[in-house]
Amino acid sequence: MDGEEEKCAVPMGYAPTSVWYNTDMWKAAGLTDKDIPTTWDQLLEVAKKLTKSDGSQYGLAMADSGWAAYMKGNGTGLYTTDGKVSINSKENKAFLQKMRDFYNGGYAVPGLDDTAARESFESGQSAMVIVGPWEDQAATDKGINHDTFAVPDGDGTYKYADGKTGSNTGSTGLYWWVTSQVGDSEKLPGIYEFFKFYNNHDNQVKWSLGSAYPPNNKTVTADELSDRPLIAKISQYTDNSYIGIAGLKGGFGDIAASLDTLTQNTVRTGDDIQGLLDQAESSISGYLDEYAE
């Protein structure tokens, strides 16, 4: 919303993250379906059980950047839905300390970005990874027997716009846009027809099976996605997934970088966490003010 006109986008693809796990490692650790975690703390405990003390296997491959969803699910987030900075809180501090202890315990490889985290899982170095649905094909291509479950909720107090709390499930959203350059030209009817074509039932089945993204059209059933059963499973997680850094008029990259500095220094250094939070609050507050108008 720009205050005068509502601007909409038609979905191209919307993909929630989930936890992908190596089923062979899971079984070897004595874990069963009953051990599927339903809370963030349980996820960390399962990761510990999947870790080998000799360093040959880690429980969880987790990038130490892009934690916006985790900060919301386990704490108070970066800023509230009405644009007030909320990162510097006792809840966020406790979560960061918990994750520092987890990394220092040797249950996750430090210093990974998203690509390296996926490589750790696909190489058999780590038993679990949190990533989008494209991991299904990647793990298959690497010969990793795998399954997936929903990213467990945390005990955070951040309240999403729909009133939910605790969700750690981030998402990737891709959209089709009609720009102002089109205006009322003869191209507009054709664009609308393409949107209808792209999002109709049958084409969304083809899109989902071919792209590994869940379908945009909710009339698509799990049976119709039976050739990709894990994608059908992931589709169930969409309603509990959220864009990590959203609702901004500008400054997305700056705020994301401030968060990454906070989380990377939490994991990679012994710097005082409160001091890191103070710095993050100052920088994020400045960006929120800068882009408020």
Side-chain angles (χ1 to χ4, degrees):
M1 299 292 291
D2 61 7
E4 297 178 359
E5 180 181 5
E6 184 173 356
K7 298 178 181 179
C8 302
V10 178
M12 177 186 177
Y14 188 85
T17 58
S18 65
V19 182
W20 298 86
Y21 65 100
N22 184 312
T23 52
D24 294 332
M25 292 179 176
W26 189 271
K27 184 177 179 180
L31 300 172
T32 69
D33 287 348
K34 293 181 180 179
D35 296 297
I36 298 293
T38 57
T39 69
W40 186 263
D41 285 346
Q42 289 175 3
L43 174 65
L44 299 185
E45 288 304 311
V46 165
K48 293 175 183 180
K49 294 178 181 178
L50 287 164
T51 299
K52 292 186 176 180
S53 59
D54 62 2
S56 63
Q57 178 178 308
Y58 294 87
L60 176 63
M62 183 175 171
D64 55 16
S65 57
W67 282 18
Y70 309 141
M71 297 294 286
K72 291 178 176 180
N74 298 290
T76 57
L78 284 66
Y79 52 88
T80 62
T81 53
D82 59 355
K84 306 297 183 183
V85 66
S86 61
I87 194 167
N88 199 350
S89 67
K90 64 181 187 299
E91 292 89 351
N92 283 348
K93 183 178 181 180
F95 171 66
L96 292 174
Q97 184 62 59
K98 179 188 299 183
M99 294 309 298
R100 172 176 280 181
D101 293 343
F102 178 76
Y103 276 90
N104 287 344
Y107 308 112
V109 184
L112 301 182
D113 60 15
D114 285 332
T115 299
R118 290 183 59 192
E119 291 174 347
S120 179
F121 177 72
E122 293 160 15
S123 68
Q125 181 188 45
S126 295
M128 297 187 293
V129 67
I130 302 175
V131 72
W134 42 86
E135 188 57 43
D136 183 28
Q137 190 62 53
T140 298
D141 291 344
K142 296 294 185 179
I144 301 295
N145 295 321
H146 61 282
D147 203 339
T148 193
F149 56 82
V151 183
D153 283 353
D155 57 1
T157 60
Y158 176 87
K159 185 173 290 188
Y160 287 94
D162 60 4
K164 290 182 180 179
T165 61
S167 176
N168 285 303
T169 305
S171 60
T172 297
L174 304 173
Y175 305 92
W176 299 108
W177 294 86
V178 181
T179 71
S180 59
Q181 293 172 309
V182 174
D184 295 325
S185 75
E186 60 185 14
K187 296 179 180 179
L188 197 59
I191 292 171
Y192 288 158
E193 286 303 311
F194 171 75
F195 287 162
K196 294 175 186 178
F197 168 82
Y198 178 79
N199 283 299
N200 73 31
H201 180 99
D202 291 347
N203 285 329
Q204 278 299 296
V205 173
K206 293 179 182 178
W207 154 258
S208 188
L209 292 176
S211 69
Y213 271 70
N216 301 325
N217 191 320
K218 288 192 173 184
T219 65
V220 177
T221 67
D223 287 343
E224 291 175 294
L225 301 179
S226 59
D227 287 345
R228 302 291 296 269
L230 296 186
I231 304 307
K233 182 187 284 191
I234 271 195
S235 299
Q236 303 170 31
Y237 310 150
T238 300
D239 287 346
N240 196 44
S241 66
Y242 302 89
I243 301 295
I245 300 177
L248 299 173
K249 293 183 178 180
F252 169 88
D254 294 323
I255 290 176
S258 296
L259 175 61
D260 289 348
T261 297
L262 167 65
T263 57
Q264 288 170 351
N265 283 331
T266 294
V267 171
R268 303 181 189 186
T269 76
D271 293 353
D272 176 59
I273 292 178
Q274 184 57 61
L276 296 174
L277 282 167
D278 292 342
Q279 294 171 14
E281 178 183 36
S282 177
S283 61
I284 291 175
S285 180
Y287 293 129
L288 291 174
D289 290 343
E290 179 181 353
Y291 294 102
E293 298 300 331

